[in-house]
Amino acid sequence: MAAAPRKVIVDCDVGTDDAWALLLLLKCDKVFNVKLEAITCTHGNTSVHHAARNTLRLLDGVGRLDVPVYKGAEEPLLTPVPEKDKHFHGVDGFGDLDFDTPDEALLQSEHAVNELYRRLNEQPGEISLIFIGPLTNLALCLKMYPDVRTKIKDLFVMGGNRHGVGNVTRAAEFNFWSDPEAAHIVFNNVQCPITVVPWETCVSEHKFLAMDWRMSIVGRSTNKVVQMLNQVETKCYTNFEWWMPCDAFLVAVFIKPDIVRHAENFHVDIELTGKLTRGQMVPDHLKSNKENTRVVDRIDNEQFKLLMLYAADHNDVEAQLSSL
């Protein structure tokens, strides 16, 4: 008898890398026996309103409007919201280009936090969570419904940093910097296995992904979402030599666990009060505390490139994927 599919909920703040992550998951669901149960949206790269609209655009583009979408947190746990120097993905998360407005009546009426709890409570230990934006929705869920901490199968997070290298401040990665308290709550409460792909891993791995390869090879596709992302990333990555699909790295680790080439377990926590280090993920290199997180350092670059080609409807690579 065939194994039951792995059930997953994705929480995102849809900019371009979130879109690639979702596209990868949706395209590879049958190949890797995964079922996307729902998508929850949060603030981060853009407002939760724009994140939800971009999610609907993506689902419509791949004919998967059967996947329910829920709006969640509009801002971090503490206010005022941190000021951003720039919006890398555009103010609307999709380059501020004039794409068609999706039918927002397709959004579910339930709040993302309540829906997370409902699904986890009804299927305890059966649903994996992938978080590729700030962790606000999960932190709120844990505080509103503390028993949920034991009901998550496993948690995959793109965020934080391994060596204190930041991308929005000198010491903090964007997702954790956007809501450090939320990250602190999550890592100190969930009782399931946690896997993190941190910023430094994205920096090292993206140097195998030339922008020319991204645009002229991956981007040569009839897939409507890829064609849309071609426009967005042409604008966002002007003068960039390398492509940085951070969130897709994490989804690749989820769907194909053996893509990981090196990982190490640590107890991690998040700095909340440092003048220069607020939002930094701090691994316990002394190993004095019980490990709570697997930190992924390296993945197989060639396998990842095959996955991204397949996600972009280059179906000629399917045989290579199946043989891996």
Side-chain angles (χ1 to χ4, degrees):
M1 185 172 67
R6 289 184 291 158
K7 301 174 183 178
V8 62
I9 296 172
V10 176
D11 187 275
C12 52
D13 57 338
V14 179
T16 62
D17 55 336
D18 304 74
W20 279 107
L22 289 169
L23 184 61
L24 177 59
L25 191 62
L26 288 163
K27 177 67 179 181
C28 292
D29 58 354
K30 291 183 174 59
V31 177
F32 294 103
N33 200 27
V34 171
K35 182 184 179 186
L36 180 55
E37 296 279 315
I39 300 170
T40 54
C41 299
T42 187
H43 68 96
N45 284 321
T46 183
S47 68
V48 68
H49 173 69
H50 284 305
R53 292 175 71 175
N54 292 340
T55 301
L56 290 176
R57 287 186 176 109
L58 183 147
L59 293 174
D60 184 47
V62 293
R64 288 300 307 274
L65 286 169
D66 58 293
V67 179
V69 180
Y70 302 84
K71 290 173 68 173
E74 297 185 16
E75 58 188 30
L77 297 179
L78 297 186
T79 52
V81 177
E83 288 292 330
K84 300 179 180 68
D85 290 334
K86 61 180 181 179
H87 291 81
F88 180 80
H89 305 268
V91 173
D92 73 351
F94 267 12
D96 302 319
L97 299 172
D98 190 22
F99 294 123
D100 291 340
T101 301
D103 180 5
E104 294 181 51
L106 294 169
L107 293 171
Q108 304 298 309
S109 60
E110 188 71 31
H111 192 280
V113 172
N114 293 325
E115 186 62 17
L116 274 172
Y117 177 68
R118 184 185 72 80
R119 288 174 179 267
L120 292 167
N121 191 52
E122 289 179 354
Q123 303 178 75
E126 295 183 19
I127 300 178
S128 299
L129 300 181
I130 294 177
F131 272 67
I132 49 181
L135 291 161
T136 313
N137 283 333
L138 184 52
L140 286 168
C141 190
L142 288 162
K143 299 306 284 186
M144 291 174 64
Y145 309 105
D147 59 311
V148 81
R149 69 188 66 182
T150 64
K151 297 180 177 181
I152 304 165
K153 180 180 180 181
D154 44 23
L155 171 64
F156 291 76
V157 177
M158 190 279 122
N161 35 22
R162 172 82 148 85
H163 303 290
V165 177
N167 63 356
V168 66
T169 70
R170 69 185 75 178
E173 176 276 332
F174 177 82
N175 286 342
F176 284 19
W177 170 85
S178 295
D179 197 341
E181 282 72 24
H184 174 80
I185 289 168
V186 168
F187 282 84
N188 281 280
N189 280 277
V190 297
Q191 296 179 18
C192 65
I194 305 173
T195 295
V196 168
V197 172
W199 172 245
E200 293 94 333
T201 302
C202 298
V203 170
S204 63
E205 298 306 314
H206 95 297
K207 292 179 181 177
F208 295 89
L209 305 173
M211 276 306 299
D212 181 63
W213 175 81
R214 153 66 185 96
M215 300 307 298
S216 62
I217 305 299
V218 179
R220 196 174 65 244
S221 170
T222 59
N223 183 297
K224 293 179 180 178
V225 172
V226 175
Q227 291 176 351
M228 180 167 56
L229 291 174
N230 286 345
Q231 297 179 59
V232 178
E233 293 191 323
T234 295
K235 180 177 180 180
C236 295
Y237 282 96
T238 301
N239 300 321
F240 277 67
E241 186 177 0
W242 309 104
W243 183 37
M244 180 68 89
C246 299
D247 298 335
F249 291 139
L250 180 72
V251 166
V253 168
F254 171 75
I255 63 174
K256 198 172 191 307
D258 65 358
I259 202 172
V260 175
R261 287 294 171 260
H262 185 269
E264 190 171 352
N265 294 324
F266 293 100
H267 180 276
V268 305
D269 208 335
I270 289 75
E271 175 59 54
L272 301 181
T273 60
K275 181 178 179 181
L276 300 177
T277 56
R278 176 170 163 79
Q280 179 181 335
M281 185 178 84
V282 184
D284 179 10
H285 295 279
L286 299 177
K287 304 289 186 176
S288 56
N289 294 283
K290 183 179 179 181
E291 297 165 349
N292 63 355
T293 302
R294 178 179 67 140
V295 179
V296 175
D297 292 315
R298 294 196 308 275
I299 65 172
D300 186 309
N301 312 113
E302 293 306 313
Q303 288 191 35
F304 181 77
K305 291 171 81 170
L306 284 175
L307 287 171
M308 298 313 292
L309 286 167
Y310 188 68
D313 280 343
H314 292 263
N315 293 324
D316 54 314
V317 304
E318 184 171 3
Q320 292 171 269
L321 272 184
S322 300
S323 67
L324 292 176

